[in-house]
Amino acid sequence: MLRLYVDAATKGNPGPSGGGIVIVGENLHEQLHVSLGECSNHEAEFKVFIQALQFVIEKKLNNQTVLIHSDSKIVVQTIEKHHAKNPLFQPYLKTFQQLENRFPLLLVKWLPESQNKGADTLAKQALQKYQ
């Protein structure tokens, strides 16, 4: 099983945003920080979530069960309910649904911020680096 931890940081709302991704698997521990451009804090959370899945696919690691952790309740609830009330989030949900088909099993789990410090630190590093 592959575990992904994702988080985003935004300066201002909207504002410049960065994302952090931690990937943990058998004989694998990878940390990434990515620029997410100018967006709202919620959009940044969706963007880093999608980028993490795309990275796993690009690295051909999507042939196993993937558990992706996010401390964003909006992202997790949108995915669990297969519905986005906010029209800005609908394209992210659609992209997720397309990516989901590339995995044998993809699980999404909310976790408290206190348990997502690695991804949080990387997101803040990305924000500083890409401003």
Side-chain angles (χ1 to χ4, degrees):
M1 179 188 319
L2 197 61
R3 291 180 180 268
L4 309 178
Y5 297 84
V6 298
D7 199 11
T10 302
K11 186 170 184 164
N13 193 19
S17 303
I21 303 166
V22 177
I23 302 171
V24 181
E26 192 173 322
N27 301 317
L28 176 68
H29 187 93
E30 198 148 346
Q31 299 182 353
L32 309 164
H33 49 80
V34 294
S35 173
L36 302 172
E38 294 267 334
C39 56
S40 73
N41 59 336
H42 294 309
E43 285 179 288
E45 295 284 359
F46 276 102
K47 283 184 174 187
V48 71
F49 192 94
I50 297 298
Q51 284 194 14
L53 295 176
Q54 289 171 330
F55 179 82
V56 167
I57 291 168
E58 286 170 17
K59 294 292 183 181
K60 300 188 183 342
L61 299 170
N62 58 315
N63 59 345
Q64 58 190 309
T65 298
V66 172
L67 175 56
I68 184 165
H69 299 272
S70 173
D71 58 26
S72 171
K73 287 185 179 180
I74 288 182
V75 170
V76 173
Q77 288 173 351
T78 297
I79 288 167
E80 286 177 343
K81 293 178 180 179
H82 306 286
H83 176 72
K85 273 191 209 179
N86 188 326
L88 287 175
F89 303 158
Q90 290 171 357
Y92 299 112
L93 177 60
K94 185 176 181 180
T95 300
F96 168 79
Q97 290 169 332
Q98 291 167 345
L99 294 173
E100 184 180 26
N101 294 329
R102 308 272 305 267
F103 296 84
L105 181 59
L106 179 58
L107 305 168
V108 178
K109 184 175 181 186
W110 176 83
L111 79 165
E113 284 181 38
S114 62
Q115 295 176 25
N116 203 22
K117 292 293 184 196
D120 178 65
T121 299
L122 291 165
K124 289 175 180 167
Q125 288 175 1
L127 185 58
Q128 291 174 354
K129 183 177 179 181
Y130 295 108
Q131 283 187 9

